[in-house]
Amino acid sequence: MGLIRFLFYEKKHLAYTAFGQDMYYKACAKLDQHGVQYDAVRKMTGSLFDTSRQTHIPSTRNNDIDNTQYDFYVKKADQHRAQGALR
């Protein structure tokens, strides 16, 4: 996806990186409120593994941490507005 984005989409700059869905939705709401157009890209999805059993099966406990990384890209002209919105 990175190559396709580079070749065919407008040049955009990284404005914010969120970890987990809570931070993602808060950032989306703030940018939408200020009228800043953005692209959000999920970079990685991670889950904690249960190391007590020495298996690679994802743990299903309620205390798992969502550490999915979301990068928010904005046009260069909107960089200042995005930074103000996300403070």
Side-chain angles (χ1 to χ4, degrees), residues 4-23:
I4 294 170
R5 175 175 298 282
F6 177 76
L7 293 175
F8 297 107
Y9 289 88
E10 295 179 40
K11 298 288 185 197
K12 297 200 176 188
H13 299 274
L14 180 64
Y16 184 70
T17 299
F19 293 96
Q21 287 185 352
D22 291 338
M23 288 179 68

Side-chain angles (χ1 to χ4, degrees), residues 8-86:
F8 297 107
Y9 289 88
E10 295 179 40
K11 298 288 185 197
K12 297 200 176 188
H13 299 274
L14 180 64
Y16 184 70
T17 299
F19 293 96
Q21 287 185 352
D22 291 338
M23 288 179 68
Y24 169 78
Y25 287 120
K26 287 178 185 177
C28 289
K30 288 179 181 181
L31 291 171
D32 287 339
Q33 281 178 339
H34 287 83
V36 178
Q37 292 183 348
Y38 61 89
D39 285 333
V41 178
R42 184 175 67 191
K43 290 292 222 176
M44 67 172 185
T45 302
S47 63
L48 296 177
F49 292 97
D50 189 356
T51 57
S52 63
R53 294 186 299 167
Q54 300 298 321
T55 63
H56 294 290
I57 300 170
S59 174
T60 57
R61 287 184 248 148
N62 291 336
N63 61 352
D64 285 347
I65 299 171
D66 179 15
N67 58 355
T68 305
Q69 178 181 342
Y70 300 94
D71 288 339
F72 288 84
Y73 292 92
V74 297
K75 293 179 185 176
K76 187 173 184 176
D78 290 337
Q79 248 182 328
H80 185 69
R81 285 184 19 196
Q83 292 298 323
L86 292 167

